[in-house]
Amino acid sequence: NAGVTQTPKFRILKIGQSMTLQCTQDMNHNYMYWYRQDPGMGLKLIYYSVGAGITDKGEVPNGYNVSRSTTEDFPLRLELAAPSQTSVYFCASSLREGGEQFFGPGTRLTVL
Amino acid sequence: QKEVEQNSGPLSVPEGAIASLNCTYSDRGSQSFFWYRQYSGKSPELIMFIYSNGDKEDGRFTAQLNKASQYVSLLIRDSQPSDSATYLCAVSGGSSNTGKLIFGQGTTLQVKP
């Protein structure tokens, strides 16, 4: 099992550009999550999903969108990138509600 | 009051010593408790979880849970320089965070040779 995979590993965007961060898991987990982590800070939940077709906002959803058309994939869309979105983005998945989460390797995004 | 609180550190211990990392949480209904290790530039990695009051041991790691006092701790025995990392405490199952993990800010541990 590859676990949770994320692409790309690194990306530099210009202000106003858009991009999609990809996340795929092969553990057949229903629950998937997107976090951002700023330097020296904890993890902040952006969006989460409890299954295909169901998504909900987390703590910091503004400027982001998600979709969940399959169990495996949970892409995060950034529209009109802003410098405040410079961060490291982690995708995670979980077998059960409130259970242990397994993280992908992260995407380091810089917006200039 | 933050939902999950940790001392950011750094906590510095000599090699071979016991490192003690602490975490308090505000939601008394919380059910599940997790410890993650995060090396610099890497993603969080689950090292322990605990659901019941008391101690849970796994190799050099012991998680301790006291629901009455609303704290959970992680002890690392015979600390090694490779244990130097940030340790994140996470809590779930309370009425304010159904289905989601609430993470603390993390405690940075430095193990000096």
Side-chain angles (χ1 to χ4, degrees), chain A residues 37 42 45 96-98 101 104, chain B residues 36 38 43 51 92 99-100 105:
Chain A
Q37 186 176 42
L45 183 64
R96 59 180 183 85
E97 183 180 34
Q101 294 180 12
Chain B
Y36 286 82
Q38 186 175 25
S43 58
Y51 304 136
S92 75
K100 302 188 285 291
Q105 298 278 74

Side-chain angles (χ1 to χ4, degrees), chain A residues 1-5 24-29 32 71-73 93:
Chain A
N1 283 357
V4 181
T5 57
T24 300
Q25 53 92 9
D26 63 358
M27 297 177 283
N28 202 31
H29 287 175
M32 295 188 74
T71 299
E72 294 77 22
D73 300 307
S93 73

Side-chain angles (χ1 to χ4, degrees), chain A residues 9-79:
Chain A
K9 287 188 171 59
F10 304 94
R11 183 73 184 268
I12 298 175
L13 283 182
K14 294 182 179 178
I15 294 173
Q17 287 186 320
S18 300
M19 76 164 294
T20 298
L21 282 66
Q22 301 293 344
C23 175
T24 300
Q25 53 92 9
D26 63 358
M27 297 177 283
N28 202 31
H29 287 175
N30 280 328
Y31 298 86
M32 295 188 74
Y33 309 83
W34 274 106
Y35 295 91
R36 61 175 288 172
Q37 186 176 42
D38 300 324
M41 304 294 286
L43 295 161
K44 294 184 179 178
L45 183 64
I46 305 171
Y47 270 95
Y48 66 102
S49 170
V50 301
I54 307 170
T55 62
D56 206 349
K57 297 177 181 178
E59 183 185 356
V60 289
N62 290 346
Y64 307 95
N65 275 302
V66 293
S67 59
R68 183 97 181 269
S69 56
T70 67
T71 299
E72 294 77 22
D73 300 307
F74 189 39
L76 178 71
R77 178 84 177 159
L78 278 73
E79 304 282 2

